[in-house]
Amino acid sequence: MGETHTARRRRLAALVAGHDADALLVTRLVNIRYLTGLDSSRAALLVPAEGPAVLATDGRYAGTAERVCPELPIVVNRLVTEALAARAAADGHRRLGFEAHDVTVEHHAALAEKAEVELTPLGHLVEELRLVKDEDEIALLREACAITDRAFAAVLPEIRAGVTERAVAIALERAMVDLGAERPAFESIVASGPNGAVPHHRPGGRELQPGDLVTMDFGALYGGYHADMTRTVAIGEPAGWQRDVYDLVHRAQLAGIDAAAPGAETKDVDAAARDVIKAAGQGDAFAHGLGHGVGLEIHEAPLMGYDKTGKLMDRVPITAEPGVYLTGRGGVRIEDTLVVRPGGPELLTTTTKDLLVL
């Protein structure tokens, strides 16, 4: 993907020039991976408005950097940001942008004291580029989601009364790795019975019981890209109120997915799902946003909520995950990862959303 990374850096250089800076010092590791392909715990990247970028890393990653980024000059120095700030000054750059959302106040003070450049915050420029995915990125997301679907199908026979939440979570995570995931994309959620009323419940020792609804939120990491899916199942025949809540969340999710089109305001997409739940008198039981972007991070822009701003665009992957949470009784959440497309969203997670009775 060398040409892809080079093209990304060129687009970033144009943004840097448009912000009246000589260069940008990229320090967020996920952004460095996006721009170079290097996945490391210590690196920085200098992207001039004109001229080649320079990558800095320490001795642990020097060989990997040379292999992954043969087109880039590489500075080997444990003090990666200081080394590149000095390089910027040596190359004649006087106004050096930095990622203010990543650089700490303490680190900024140290750089300002040592660097012979003017430091200026340039905002989330790389994240703006990352918002719209190319088809190679979407292919990696598609495979991450396919692994997630297959893992759920493999574990489904193990989800039964007497099994603990923790055991189900472990089984899902093991299945994802066995099926090709690098690792789980995040800490899996398994919430049974009354625990289902807690959106981010951590799976514990509670045993699944007949009459429970069980919400499972999990995903695979593949090629650096994160899948995210939630399904709620019933242990034994569900009560009437459980079916009603499930059907309500299902209808709300479909409404949100239908609204996810290029040009749509994110708050309007959220409202499409939220209004369905409000109309049923359960508005207070849906306390989080409809969804979020996914990619190299599990939570990326855009965020979809009643108070969020922004518009969806073609090739932006998002989640749609409405839920209804009833304290002391349980809850339902249904979530898919999808890609916004002009002809309608492309669903990447394809496991059935019919209520499964186990």
Side-chain angles (χ1 to χ4, degrees):
M1 291 183 62
E3 292 182 2
T4 297
H5 294 124
T6 299
R8 291 172 182 173
R9 294 194 296 271
R10 286 198 190 109
R11 292 198 298 272
L12 177 59
L15 292 177
V16 172
H19 282 73
D20 195 27
D22 297 320
L24 173 65
L25 181 61
V26 182
T27 52
R28 280 202 77 205
L29 294 174
V30 66
N31 288 343
I32 293 165
R33 180 172 185 173
Y34 175 76
L35 294 166
T36 69
L38 179 67
D39 183 16
S40 79
S41 63
R42 187 179 296 274
L45 182 69
L46 180 68
V47 180
E50 295 183 8
V54 181
L55 176 65
T57 189
D58 65 21
R60 296 172 298 166
Y61 298 103
T64 302
E66 290 171 357
R67 175 176 54 81
V68 174
C69 319
E71 75 282 6
L72 287 176
I74 297 170
V75 174
V76 181
N77 190 317
R78 184 165 180 79
L79 301 176
V80 291
T81 53
E82 291 82 350
L84 289 188
R87 176 67 174 258
D91 288 347
H93 303 310
R94 292 292 171 259
R95 196 160 189 262
L96 180 62
F98 68 96
E99 296 184 302
H101 51 298
D102 184 65
V103 175
T104 66
V105 173
E106 182 179 17
H107 197 179
H108 177 270
L111 279 176
E113 180 181 352
K114 296 177 183 177
E116 298 176 4
V117 291
E118 176 191 351
L119 296 172
T120 181
L122 288 193
H124 296 65
L125 295 189
V126 184
E127 285 84 356
E128 291 175 18
L129 290 178
R130 287 172 47 201
L131 186 66
V132 176
K133 272 55 174 182
D134 58 43
E135 293 298 338
D136 288 337
E137 292 180 283
I138 292 171
L140 292 171
L141 270 172
R142 191 179 291 115
E143 180 58 23
C145 290
I147 291 170
T148 304
D149 283 321
R150 294 196 296 269
F152 183 69
V155 172
L156 202 54
E158 302 178 37
I159 303 172
R160 58 184 182 275
V163 176
T164 66
E165 295 172 340
R166 187 180 295 113
V168 174
I170 291 171
L172 286 168
E173 294 182 351
R174 182 183 298 117
M176 287 187 287
V177 173
D178 288 345
L179 289 165
E182 297 169 33
R183 58 175 173 79
F186 53 92
E187 185 177 352
S188 301
I189 295 169
V190 178
S192 64
N195 292 338
V198 182
H200 280 185
H201 172 73
R202 301 188 71 175
R206 184 184 185 277
E207 294 182 353
L208 278 53
Q209 301 173 18
D212 280 352
L213 291 175
V214 183
T215 297
M216 291 157 283
D217 187 343
F218 59 102
L221 179 72
Y222 180 82
Y225 285 78
H226 297 70
D228 199 354
M229 182 175 82
T230 305
R231 290 295 185 268
T232 300
V233 301
I235 306 299
E237 187 60 32
W241 72 267
Q242 292 174 318
R243 283 198 179 275
D244 290 344
V245 171
Y246 191 93
D247 291 345
L248 174 62
V249 174
H250 190 190
R251 286 189 286 110
Q253 199 222 20
L254 292 177
I257 290 173
D258 286 345
E265 296 282 349
T266 53
K267 64 181 180 181
D268 292 340
V269 179
D270 177 271
R274 192 173 302 277
D275 288 350
V276 173
I277 295 174
K278 282 183 176 179
Q282 297 288 6
D284 291 342
F286 177 25
H288 56 74
L290 176 63
H292 54 84
V294 288
L296 285 170
E297 296 177 282
I298 187 59
H299 292 105
E300 296 187 353
L303 300 178
M304 290 179 295
Y306 65 88
D307 59 344
K308 305 302 180 185
T309 59
K311 290 185 178 182
L312 297 182
M313 293 180 281
D314 181 25
R315 291 185 286 119
V316 171
I318 58 172
T319 66
E321 48 180 303
V324 168
Y325 310 96
L326 304 176
T327 302
R329 302 177 75 187
V332 173
R333 183 165 67 255
I334 304 171
E335 176 185 21
D336 286 298
T337 298
L338 57 98
V339 181
V340 177
R341 301 282 195 182
E346 176 190 356
L347 281 177
L348 299 187
T349 44
T350 60
T351 294
T352 182
K353 286 177 281 193
D354 294 338
L355 178 58
L356 298 178
V357 178
L358 307 180

